Amino acid sequence: MNRRSLLAGGSAALAGAVLAGSGGSLAQGLTGTITIGYEGTNAFIGPYIGAAAQAVMTANPGATIEVNPSISPNYLSQLALQLFTGTAPDVFLIFGLGAGELAAGGFVSSLDDYVANWDGWAQYDAATRAGVTSQGHPWAIPWGLNPYFLYYRKDLFQQAGLDPEWQPETREEIIEAAAAIQQSSPDSIPYSIYAGANGENATAADFMNLILSNGGTLIDPDGRWFIDSCPIRETLAYYEYAFQTTKVVPSIVLTDVSPLETMPNYFANGELGILHETAKHYGVWMARNAVDAETIGVALFPGNEGPLALGDVGDAWYINSGAANPDLGWAFIEAFSTVELQAALSAEDPHLPARLDARDASDWLEQPLSDRILEASTVMTLPPPEPQFRKLISVVQNATGLVAAGQATPIEAIQRYGEELTRTMGEQNVTTEACG
Amino acid sequence: MSVPAINWPADSETAPPIRRRKGEQRPYIVAITPAAILLSAFFIFPALWVIYTSTTSLSLTNFAAGAQFVGLDNYRRLWHNPDFPKFVKNTIVFTVGAAMIGQTIGGLLIALLINHAQNHKHKLAPVAFTAALLGWICPPTLAGFIWGGIFDYRNGMLNTTLQFLHLPRVDMLGDYPMFSVILAESWRGLAFALNIFLRALQSIPNQVYEAASIDGATTWMRFKDQTLPAMRHVIALVLLVTTITTIGSFLMILILTNGDPAYATETIALHAYHQAFTLFDIGYGAALSVVMLLLSLFFALFYLRLAKASAE
């Protein structure tokens, strides 16, 4: 049964497939009630969650699973408040990168005992496991990894006389292509990279991507944060070059209050030339029939040592440390983590399936972006779930925002970056790397 | 030529002190108790909680550590934050621009115009009054989206109009972010001031102006010597209310700029929100709220003293 026929048959058929996919290994004899929480604005995932819940309830007639999608525009804040006040769902879906912070805060349960008895865990490679591991324990189970791509509009490229099969080899080539679009389509936004507070987590992702591209890292092998290094300087210089010197990234990318929604929309409408974004946007564009595969070009971001892809482990399932019935919660997570479900969901909402065996599923391989996602997976860097990551985001937003707005030079901004990071992380946790 | 100003009664003349024997105060105490309980429940206790929280490390993402007492650490952190002077400056500029100039002075000017139009039974007076009220009845979130729709660089009403007139587009939220949020906040809050000023203007007896006119007073003299003194308490009240609400108001900024670009519109209130509900650092956010409370108290005392001084 393929994904389309599964969805056409509704969640009952999907639940049947989940049961079949679990090979009858779903836990049985469980009773009680649990609640499941996730961000309800994700249109793709709801039916799959419903199907996994149904499969567990079918295998366990005494069990009840209540699925409560959140409609809050700020799901993260809502969940944080719920966790703090002890009213959070028993099992919830949120980004896997938060595993370190949630574990350090004592909000989630370690999954050691569960994964030790689950043969599916062997299908998660070391990098994926590391992406949800903190203090030596796994805390979450991801379903799909999320690589970043350089998306570009082939129609705007052709108007600018550029190669529609463009694959940039240097960062300078991106600026040159954007400058050509700026000339040929003056009303368009040639290039978008996120800076400042409005870019939210994506500002930190773009910053990290540029650090990687310049051959650097954010943290040294001893776990200390770099407050100054050549890659950090070159990254901030790139922001200045893109926003201020060439202006190929116009100021509205910085000043728009929700660029994470607006820029992908501009791209889908043919008003934006080059966009650095995650794989999942491709699925949104396709679902809206906003563009076809012929209009969108996909490239990997160029680095000093060849193409690269920043990624993250995407959203992952956690068990609330206050959950009254964690075994039932795990049964749900297990049901959601079958090969069939991951392949079908990752095909509809383009991701790299977290399970290695789901990457061979024909359903997923048929999806038009899968070749590029597989290619990206060979050069993908997944940041570790560092507990202090949230604090870093605010420091990065400030430094990039100052440079992009023309209120500080890269050297001034790096000084601020260093001061703020030192204040935030503590003097003993920061270091510098000489830059000739 | 100078027209003698009317000697309006001072507070001390209109409200002589009440001196009663001990037993006579019981009914007043009973009457005031529900208000005191409500005030305690909804203001004093939460305010005390915020002050206490500002001395702790309470963080939404550090449940395990709990709320450790850290003394004045959050205030020290705030003092050493190089952006803090910018947040204070932004708060003052936003408050002076939106509360004092936009809402109070703007509200007074429009109230004078509408009052004049109503006195002359102009047909458009009710229309103008209703139009001014629209900003007030509009929910703040909707008002934010309306102004976002006006200022949007690519598809906004302002730039569409400018393009229609073959004029270059203006990036209001990028190039003039503070002016833009002041304009939007003034529009939303202006009707409150306008309404109060209009009622106050209508309570001034016409004979006062007639007498002044007979004495040869110009329009400006009538405004300066009769209207302004008659309205000094109302102006002080409006200034007090709009200032305090504007210091704590951040929704319009959140929707239009979210404090960007590079903290150009980040006020203390918005920064407290960001710290508490984006970075989940409740202790530090509470410290910022206490600073905001002190700033509001400063303005409140300043206006009350000003009103008292002008009365004396």
Short mmCIF file of all heavy atoms in Angstrom, two decimals, chain A residues 262-290:
data_model
loop_
_atom_site.label_atom_id
_atom_site.label_comp_id
_atom_site.label_asym_id
_atom_site.label_seq_id
_atom_site.Cartn_x
_atom_site.Cartn_y
_atom_site.Cartn_z
N THR A 262 7.18 35.05 5.42
CA THR A 262 7.10 35.95 4.27
C THR A 262 8.06 35.57 3.15
O THR A 262 7.67 35.56 1.98
CB THR A 262 7.40 37.40 4.73
OG1 THR A 262 6.72 37.63 5.95
CG2 THR A 262 6.94 38.40 3.71
N MET A 263 9.31 35.28 3.50
CA MET A 263 10.30 35.03 2.44
C MET A 263 9.97 33.76 1.63
O MET A 263 10.00 33.80 0.40
CB MET A 263 11.72 34.97 3.02
CG MET A 263 12.17 36.29 3.64
SD MET A 263 11.97 37.69 2.49
CE MET A 263 11.46 38.98 3.62
N PRO A 264 9.62 32.64 2.29
CA PRO A 264 9.21 31.48 1.48
C PRO A 264 7.99 31.79 0.60
O PRO A 264 7.87 31.26 -0.51
CB PRO A 264 8.89 30.41 2.53
CG PRO A 264 9.76 30.76 3.69
CD PRO A 264 9.78 32.27 3.72
N ASN A 265 7.09 32.66 1.09
CA ASN A 265 5.94 33.04 0.26
C ASN A 265 6.38 33.86 -0.94
O ASN A 265 5.89 33.65 -2.06
CB ASN A 265 4.93 33.84 1.08
CG ASN A 265 4.06 32.95 1.93
OD1 ASN A 265 3.93 31.76 1.65
ND2 ASN A 265 3.49 33.49 2.98
N TYR A 266 7.28 34.82 -0.71
CA TYR A 266 7.80 35.61 -1.83
C TYR A 266 8.48 34.69 -2.85
O TYR A 266 8.35 34.87 -4.06
CB TYR A 266 8.82 36.65 -1.34
CG TYR A 266 8.22 37.87 -0.69
CD1 TYR A 266 8.88 38.51 0.36
CD2 TYR A 266 7.02 38.40 -1.11
CE1 TYR A 266 8.35 39.64 0.97
CE2 TYR A 266 6.47 39.53 -0.50
CZ TYR A 266 7.15 40.14 0.54
OH TYR A 266 6.61 41.24 1.14
N PHE A 267 9.19 33.69 -2.35
CA PHE A 267 9.88 32.76 -3.24
C PHE A 267 8.85 31.99 -4.08
O PHE A 267 8.98 31.88 -5.30
CB PHE A 267 10.74 31.79 -2.42
CG PHE A 267 11.54 30.84 -3.26
CD1 PHE A 267 12.74 31.24 -3.83
CD2 PHE A 267 11.09 29.56 -3.52
CE1 PHE A 267 13.49 30.38 -4.63
CE2 PHE A 267 11.81 28.69 -4.32
CZ PHE A 267 13.02 29.10 -4.88
N ALA A 268 7.81 31.50 -3.40
CA ALA A 268 6.77 30.75 -4.12
C ALA A 268 6.07 31.62 -5.16
O ALA A 268 5.67 31.13 -6.22
CB ALA A 268 5.76 30.20 -3.13
N ASN A 269 5.97 32.93 -4.87
CA ASN A 269 5.30 33.84 -5.81
C ASN A 269 6.23 34.34 -6.91
O ASN A 269 5.82 35.18 -7.72
CB ASN A 269 4.75 35.06 -5.05
CG ASN A 269 3.69 34.66 -4.05
OD1 ASN A 269 3.09 33.59 -4.18
ND2 ASN A 269 3.46 35.49 -3.05
N GLY A 270 7.47 33.90 -6.90
CA GLY A 270 8.41 34.33 -7.94
C GLY A 270 8.98 35.72 -7.71
O GLY A 270 9.48 36.36 -8.63
N GLU A 271 8.92 36.18 -6.45
CA GLU A 271 9.43 37.52 -6.14
C GLU A 271 10.78 37.48 -5.45
O GLU A 271 11.33 38.51 -5.09
CB GLU A 271 8.44 38.26 -5.22
CG GLU A 271 7.07 38.49 -5.83
CD GLU A 271 6.11 39.09 -4.83
OE1 GLU A 271 6.20 40.30 -4.57
OE2 GLU A 271 5.28 38.35 -4.29
N LEU A 272 11.30 36.28 -5.20
CA LEU A 272 12.57 36.14 -4.48
C LEU A 272 13.45 35.15 -5.26
O LEU A 272 12.98 34.08 -5.65
CB LEU A 272 12.30 35.63 -3.06
CG LEU A 272 13.39 35.77 -2.01
CD1 LEU A 272 12.79 35.78 -0.61
CD2 LEU A 272 14.43 34.69 -2.09
N GLY A 273 14.71 35.53 -5.46
CA GLY A 273 15.58 34.74 -6.33
C GLY A 273 16.25 33.55 -5.67
O GLY A 273 16.14 32.42 -6.16
N ILE A 274 16.94 33.80 -4.54
CA ILE A 274 17.72 32.73 -3.89
C ILE A 274 17.36 32.73 -2.40
O ILE A 274 17.42 33.76 -1.74
CB ILE A 274 19.24 32.97 -4.04
CG1 ILE A 274 19.61 33.16 -5.52
CG2 ILE A 274 20.03 31.81 -3.45
CD1 ILE A 274 21.02 33.70 -5.73
N LEU A 275 17.01 31.54 -1.91
CA LEU A 275 16.55 31.43 -0.52
C LEU A 275 17.25 30.27 0.15
O LEU A 275 17.26 29.16 -0.37
CB LEU A 275 15.03 31.20 -0.51
CG LEU A 275 14.36 30.96 0.83
CD1 LEU A 275 14.39 32.21 1.69
CD2 LEU A 275 12.91 30.52 0.63
N HIS A 276 17.85 30.53 1.31
CA HIS A 276 18.47 29.45 2.09
C HIS A 276 17.45 28.97 3.11
O HIS A 276 17.15 29.67 4.07
CB HIS A 276 19.75 29.98 2.78
CG HIS A 276 20.54 28.90 3.44
ND1 HIS A 276 20.82 28.89 4.77
CD2 HIS A 276 21.11 27.78 2.93
CE1 HIS A 276 21.53 27.81 5.07
NE2 HIS A 276 21.72 27.13 3.96
N GLU A 277 16.90 27.80 2.89
CA GLU A 277 15.82 27.30 3.77
C GLU A 277 15.87 25.78 3.87
O GLU A 277 16.62 25.13 3.16
CB GLU A 277 14.45 27.74 3.23
CG GLU A 277 13.85 28.94 3.96
CD GLU A 277 13.56 28.69 5.43
OE1 GLU A 277 13.77 27.58 5.92
OE2 GLU A 277 13.12 29.64 6.11
N THR A 278 15.02 25.26 4.76
CA THR A 278 15.03 23.81 5.01
C THR A 278 14.23 23.04 3.96
O THR A 278 13.42 23.61 3.23
CB THR A 278 14.42 23.51 6.39
OG1 THR A 278 13.14 24.12 6.44
CG2 THR A 278 15.28 24.05 7.50
N ALA A 279 14.43 21.72 3.97
CA ALA A 279 13.76 20.85 2.99
C ALA A 279 12.25 20.92 3.11
O ALA A 279 11.53 20.82 2.12
CB ALA A 279 14.24 19.41 3.20
N LYS A 280 11.74 21.13 4.32
CA LYS A 280 10.29 21.03 4.52
C LYS A 280 9.51 22.06 3.71
O LYS A 280 8.35 21.83 3.38
CB LYS A 280 9.95 21.12 6.00
CG LYS A 280 10.22 22.45 6.65
CD LYS A 280 9.82 22.41 8.11
CE LYS A 280 10.09 23.76 8.74
NZ LYS A 280 9.87 23.74 10.19
N HIS A 281 10.14 23.20 3.38
CA HIS A 281 9.41 24.21 2.61
C HIS A 281 9.00 23.70 1.23
O HIS A 281 7.98 24.11 0.69
CB HIS A 281 10.25 25.49 2.48
CG HIS A 281 10.29 26.26 3.74
ND1 HIS A 281 9.27 27.08 4.14
CD2 HIS A 281 11.20 26.31 4.72
CE1 HIS A 281 9.55 27.60 5.32
NE2 HIS A 281 10.73 27.15 5.68
N TYR A 282 9.81 22.84 0.71
CA TYR A 282 9.52 22.29 -0.62
C TYR A 282 8.14 21.61 -0.63
O TYR A 282 7.36 21.77 -1.55
CB TYR A 282 10.63 21.28 -0.96
CG TYR A 282 10.66 20.85 -2.40
CD1 TYR A 282 11.35 21.61 -3.34
CD2 TYR A 282 10.03 19.69 -2.81
CE1 TYR A 282 11.40 21.22 -4.67
CE2 TYR A 282 10.08 19.29 -4.14
CZ TYR A 282 10.77 20.05 -5.06
OH TYR A 282 10.81 19.67 -6.37
N GLY A 283 7.87 20.87 0.46
CA GLY A 283 6.58 20.19 0.56
C GLY A 283 5.42 21.17 0.66
O GLY A 283 4.35 20.95 0.08
N VAL A 284 5.64 22.27 1.37
CA VAL A 284 4.58 23.29 1.51
C VAL A 284 4.29 23.90 0.14
O VAL A 284 3.13 24.06 -0.26
CB VAL A 284 5.01 24.37 2.53
CG1 VAL A 284 3.96 25.47 2.62
CG2 VAL A 284 5.24 23.75 3.89
N TRP A 285 5.35 24.23 -0.60
CA TRP A 285 5.15 24.84 -1.93
C TRP A 285 4.41 23.89 -2.86
O TRP A 285 3.52 24.27 -3.59
CB TRP A 285 6.50 25.22 -2.55
CG TRP A 285 7.24 26.29 -1.83
CD1 TRP A 285 6.69 27.35 -1.17
CD2 TRP A 285 8.65 26.40 -1.64
NE1 TRP A 285 7.69 28.13 -0.60
CE2 TRP A 285 8.89 27.57 -0.88
CE3 TRP A 285 9.75 25.64 -2.06
CZ2 TRP A 285 10.17 27.99 -0.52
CZ3 TRP A 285 11.02 26.06 -1.71
CH2 TRP A 285 11.24 27.22 -0.95
N MET A 286 4.82 22.61 -2.80
CA MET A 286 4.20 21.62 -3.68
C MET A 286 2.73 21.41 -3.31
O MET A 286 1.87 21.30 -4.17
CB MET A 286 4.95 20.29 -3.60
CG MET A 286 6.32 20.34 -4.20
SD MET A 286 6.23 20.73 -5.96
CE MET A 286 7.92 21.12 -6.30
N ALA A 287 2.46 21.35 -1.99
CA ALA A 287 1.09 21.12 -1.54
C ALA A 287 0.18 22.26 -1.97
O ALA A 287 -1.00 22.07 -2.25
CB ALA A 287 1.07 20.95 -0.03
N ARG A 288 0.74 23.48 -2.00
CA ARG A 288 -0.07 24.64 -2.40
C ARG A 288 -0.12 24.80 -3.91
O ARG A 288 -0.73 25.75 -4.41
CB ARG A 288 0.54 25.91 -1.79
CG ARG A 288 0.24 26.10 -0.33
CD ARG A 288 0.99 27.28 0.23
NE ARG A 288 0.99 28.43 -0.68
CZ ARG A 288 1.82 29.46 -0.58
NH1 ARG A 288 2.71 29.48 0.39
NH2 ARG A 288 1.77 30.45 -1.42
N ASN A 289 0.58 23.91 -4.61
CA ASN A 289 0.72 24.03 -6.07
C ASN A 289 1.26 25.40 -6.46
O ASN A 289 0.90 25.96 -7.50
CB ASN A 289 -0.62 23.80 -6.78
CG ASN A 289 -1.06 22.36 -6.62
OD1 ASN A 289 -0.24 21.45 -6.68
ND2 ASN A 289 -2.33 22.16 -6.37
N ALA A 290 2.04 25.98 -5.54
CA ALA A 290 2.56 27.33 -5.79
C ALA A 290 3.62 27.31 -6.89
O ALA A 290 3.75 28.25 -7.67
CB ALA A 290 3.17 27.89 -4.51
#
